Amino acid sequence: MTATYKIKDFDTIIKIGTTFGQNWFRGHSKIYNELTPGIYRQRYNNRFYEGFRPDVEQEFAEEFKRKAPSIVSNLPDVNNHLEWLFLMQHHGVPTRLLDWSENILVATFFAVCDDVKSDAELWSMLPWKLNNTLGFWGLPVIDKSPELNFLASEIFHSNAEILRQDLNLKTIPNSPLAFLPPLKHPRMTSQQSAFTIHPKGENTKTIIETINDEKFLTRYIIPKGLKTRFRRKLSALGIDYKNIFPDLEGLAKTIVENGKGLAWSQPDPLKLEKIE
């Protein structure tokens, strides 16, 4: 079971982020006890659903690729499967990608921005440790990683074993892989995006099953009573909707959020050591 700790104040968030400077972070506005990408969550991953739509992941991906050209023209090459996954994830199609951030404040924002009546969870992970399970230390180079290529292409391929042979892999990857994407979308840049990509199948492992040492994977619970306070502090540090989502929707949400305050009173200076 993943080590879990309770956050008691905002200073602890800063301490975690500065202590684990190479970690990635992910925030959930509710406690889910898992790190599962959208396409593999309970809504799609159950016998009833699979009985009617046995490969919904491929169905969603193919349908998106088929219809997207009727809306926009600047699209990835048809065989650039990873870029198609980025595009789908960006626009809300459930995929095998799981979003992370290199910035703990961004992850904390997603943990506290919603569901004010529920406790939140904040995950901290060293991505290199996850990849060590697949036989290497560090992060893969996108254009040169057969493991990453396999996991991105598997969705569109009818035979995983043939795909493995084509990519000269010794075994089919059975655990998630962490990687840094090219920052082609403004949101990805603002959110300091990172990703894990997850395999499918009965014999695959989750992140929680893969990393069982709290030195490399830890969960923190943020009590619901701290959410509003944390949001104010994040906003003061420039972590708000308009900066996390640099578009008109993000701007509108920030304006509405700021409008909830009735008045402003300048606080007293901090009691620090004064230099004469």
Side-chain angles (χ1 to χ4, degrees), residues 66-258:
R66 185 176 74 86
K67 293 184 176 179
S70 68
I71 301 173
V72 295
S73 57
N74 185 22
L75 292 169
D77 179 82
V78 67
N79 292 318
N80 192 336
H81 301 135
L82 189 59
E83 284 291 341
W84 278 102
L85 281 177
F86 290 150
L87 198 61
M88 291 164 58
Q89 183 84 354
H90 178 73
H91 290 285
V93 179
T95 74
R96 58 175 54 194
L97 296 176
L98 190 68
D99 296 273
W100 295 79
S101 176
E102 295 182 275
N103 188 329
I104 193 172
L105 297 182
V106 171
T108 303
F109 174 85
F110 284 109
V112 303
C113 71
D114 206 353
D115 298 310
V116 294
K117 295 183 179 180
S118 300
D119 292 344
E121 60 183 7
L122 176 69
W123 293 84
S124 173
M125 175 188 71
L126 182 67
W128 307 337
K129 183 63 176 179
L130 181 65
N131 292 348
N132 196 29
T133 305
L134 292 175
F136 62 92
W137 187 261
L139 301 176
V141 178
I142 285 185
D143 296 332
K144 298 179 180 180
S145 170
E147 294 86 1
L148 181 55
N149 194 353
F150 178 94
L151 291 171
S153 302
E154 183 185 18
I155 306 163
F156 306 95
H157 206 283
S158 59
N159 190 308
E161 178 57 27
I162 293 177
L163 179 60
R164 179 196 69 78
Q165 294 174 17
D166 291 343
L167 295 173
N168 294 317
L169 283 170
K170 292 182 179 180
T171 59
I172 292 176
N174 68 343
S175 62
L177 176 70
F179 69 99
L180 289 172
L183 302 178
K184 294 185 177 182
H185 303 290
R187 285 188 183 184
M188 293 170 70
T189 302
S190 298
Q191 296 171 18
Q192 297 184 44
S193 292
F195 289 105
T196 49
I197 185 169
H198 298 241
K200 66 178 179 181
E202 295 182 356
N203 298 321
T204 59
K205 298 179 180 179
T206 66
I207 292 176
I208 295 173
E209 292 169 334
T210 303
I211 305 177
N212 53 20
D213 187 338
E214 69 172 290
K215 185 176 181 179
F216 304 109
L217 179 68
T218 311
R219 183 177 64 154
Y220 303 92
I221 303 301
I222 301 176
K224 58 187 176 182
L226 295 178
K227 281 188 170 183
T228 299
R229 190 185 314 168
F230 278 24
R231 284 185 66 173
R232 292 196 189 104
K233 289 182 177 293
L234 289 167
S235 180
L237 295 172
I239 308 296
D240 54 19
Y241 278 110
K242 75 175 186 300
N243 290 314
I244 296 295
F245 300 97
D247 51 31
L248 292 179
E249 181 181 358
L251 173 61
K253 286 185 176 181
T254 299
I255 291 173
V256 171
E257 183 69 19
N258 291 341

